[in-house]
Amino acid sequence: MPISENMVQEIVQEVMAKMQIADAPAGKHGIFKDMNDAIEAAKKSQAIVKKMSMDQREKILTCIRKKIRENAEVLARMGVDETGMGNVGDKILKHHLVADKTPGTEDITTTAWSGDRGLTLIEMGPFGVIGAITPCTNPSETILCNTIGMLAGGNTVVFNPHPQAIKTSIYAINLLNEASLEAGGPDNIAVTVEKPTLETSNIMMKHKDIPLIAATGGPGVVTAVLSSGKRGIGAGAGNPPAVVDETADIRKAAQDIVNGCTFDNNLPCIAEKEIVAVSSIVDELMHYLVTENDCYLASKEEQDKLTEVVLAGGRLNRKCVGRDARTLLSMIGVEVPANIRCIVFEGPKEHPLIATELMMPILGVVRAKDFDDAVEQAVWLEHGNRHSAHIHSKNIDNITKYAKAIDTAILVKNAPSYAALGFGGEGYCTFTIASRTGEGLTSASTFTKRRRCVMSDSLCIR
Ligand code: NAD
């Protein structure tokens, strides 16, 4: 059938409409010029939320989940375009994970003691308005995930997002409020300012109406929040090592590690950042990494060039964070086929590309003389973050020894790191892993206060 001019016009209009969706200004819901006004609006909204039934809260959450699924691709593209980090396909998956596996009101439970002296309950109540600081590595994922948990707990939330991801963050916040309004809830369940800065962050941290701050980011922001005088939930940096011993399925270990390491170009804080392998299987592991898993083996000279670019002047070059392996290699003048997805090399644990949390698909392999040495080197590489670690082994004594020594919030055995987020593993999803302050993988209950409710000598009807 020949294509008429009208049909061409229709197709052009359809494409233009889609482009406008992706570029649309973020809308107005929840976006303020002034941080104090944003907090005031969230406070009014919380006064409404706290009177709502759990069922009403859950209706809003259902609508939020629906909107996340509908907007997963728009948010993924926007995040990649704005920050230059990560890849669209994996970011779409991350948004679906947030929509499907972030706990809602079912996480708010009651503990009861009933006996001769009556009935005592522990109920989880809201804090009120929570302040949240979010990273540029998972901008909308963190905002959406935090809001689901915080709202399920009866709170509203004020965000101070990373300035480099403000467009994406505003889009997500607008979406959350649209969902609330559509489900009969209030506007401003989540709010932010048009231009977040350290100053707006300080206003939020010191504000009398913010009793709790959840910080997701590097060591600087967690320290700032823990020095604020407020209660803080600190989800800080990691540098997760993947240990491989001689009992592992080496072929599968290579595949799992590369899959985890390259997910969203290594942006997740839980992703494998280096391998520590016992000497007897290092060559076999390297063989599988290179021949079956699209890894590029970097020469000593290429490692030096990469170090100069990636850690220019001894500091992490933000222009390299979240880039794919081919782009990183092209920055040092190395062109590789399209299938290459990870850069590997063998080096000592002190190698700057191994010891530093790079957040890019560069995977150094450290040789250990035996398992005890592997554990010692992995603990050193984790830098006491107590964040995430991974192991490939079939020896439960080895796994137990490693788990006790490394003492991290997350330890994945015989799977890619993202199994810890419920992706190909059991359990719920979060993008705020409170490594520093010990809450671990946050969920709705993390954002509540425990309150004891005592009825003396009554209501026990046994
Ligand atoms: P970043 O530390 O540069 O920024 C995070 C947020 O903190 C941003 O909103 C930023 O504006 C703010 N910030 C930074 N310093 C601050 C200060 N002194 N006072 C107030 N606010 C401040 O981190 P990033 O590059 O956006 O994200 C990557 C880092 O975050 C990595 O270290 C990664 O491991 C970590 N991270 C941790 C988790 C977790 O759940 N534990 C999740 C994602 C990212």
Side-chain angles (χ1 to χ4, degrees), residues 125-357:
F127 273 92
V129 183
I130 298 177
I133 299 175
T134 49
C136 58
T137 47
N138 317 304
S140 42
E141 300 91 316
T142 310
I143 284 173
L144 297 164
C145 184
N146 278 181
T147 305
I148 290 177
M150 290 170 185
L151 183 73
N155 309 281
T156 56
V157 52
V158 181
F159 286 102
N160 204 69
H162 198 295
Q164 280 171 16
I166 187 60
K167 191 176 155 204
T168 314
S169 303
I170 284 179
Y171 191 96
I173 288 167
N174 182 57
L175 206 70
L176 288 158
N177 289 309
E178 282 183 357
S180 177
L181 290 165
E182 261 179 57
D187 202 358
N188 300 319
I189 56 166
V191 297
T192 191
V193 285
E194 282 171 2
K195 288 198 177 104
T197 58
L198 282 184
E199 198 189 329
T200 55
S201 175
N202 275 332
I203 294 171
M204 184 184 85
M205 282 197 232
K206 292 194 178 118
H207 200 284
K208 65 176 175 40
D209 292 325
I210 304 283
L212 171 67
I213 302 159
T216 311
V221 63
V222 174
T223 302
V225 164
L226 296 182
S227 317
S228 69
K230 297 277 171 74
R231 166 138 191 248
I233 295 176
N239 192 38
V243 164
V244 187
D245 77 8
E246 67 284 1
T247 69
D249 178 338
I250 308 298
R251 188 177 203 164
K252 180 176 180 297
Q255 189 182 36
D256 285 350
I257 293 171
V258 176
N259 284 344
C261 170
T262 56
F263 188 64
D264 206 15
N265 298 346
N266 199 247
L267 285 180
C269 51
I270 60 159
E272 295 84 346
K273 300 285 189 281
E274 63 278 334
I275 296 174
V276 184
V278 295
S279 187
S280 57
I281 52 91
V282 167
D283 295 345
E284 189 186 353
L285 183 70
M286 199 59 102
H287 165 79
Y288 286 124
L289 289 172
V290 174
T291 60
E292 293 190 3
N293 291 285
D294 305 323
C295 291
Y296 177 82
L297 184 60
S299 66
K300 174 78 181 68
E301 194 193 341
E302 287 162 346
Q303 293 166 38
D304 291 345
K305 281 191 187 162
L306 271 174
T307 308
E308 264 174 43
V309 172
V310 162
L311 293 166
R315 288 172 67 91
L316 185 61
N317 181 353
R318 308 282 302 192
K319 289 192 181 126
C320 297
V321 173
R323 303 287 162 154
D324 61 48
R326 283 185 83 208
T327 306
L328 293 170
L329 286 167
S330 73
M331 287 177 178
I332 59 161
V334 176
E335 298 305 322
V336 291
N339 63 310
I340 291 299
R341 55 188 183 130
C342 191
I343 303 166
V344 293
F345 64 95
E346 189 183 328
K349 69 177 188 310
E350 295 81 7
H351 193 299
L353 295 180
I354 296 178
T356 316
E357 184 202 28

Side-chain angles (χ1 to χ4, degrees), residues 48-64:
I48 300 170
V49 168
K50 78 175 177 196
K51 288 189 194 142
M52 293 170 94
S53 67
M54 297 296 261
D55 191 42
Q56 283 171 313
R57 280 187 216 169
E58 198 52 46
K59 281 201 176 90
I60 301 176
L61 295 179
T62 303
C63 197
I64 290 175

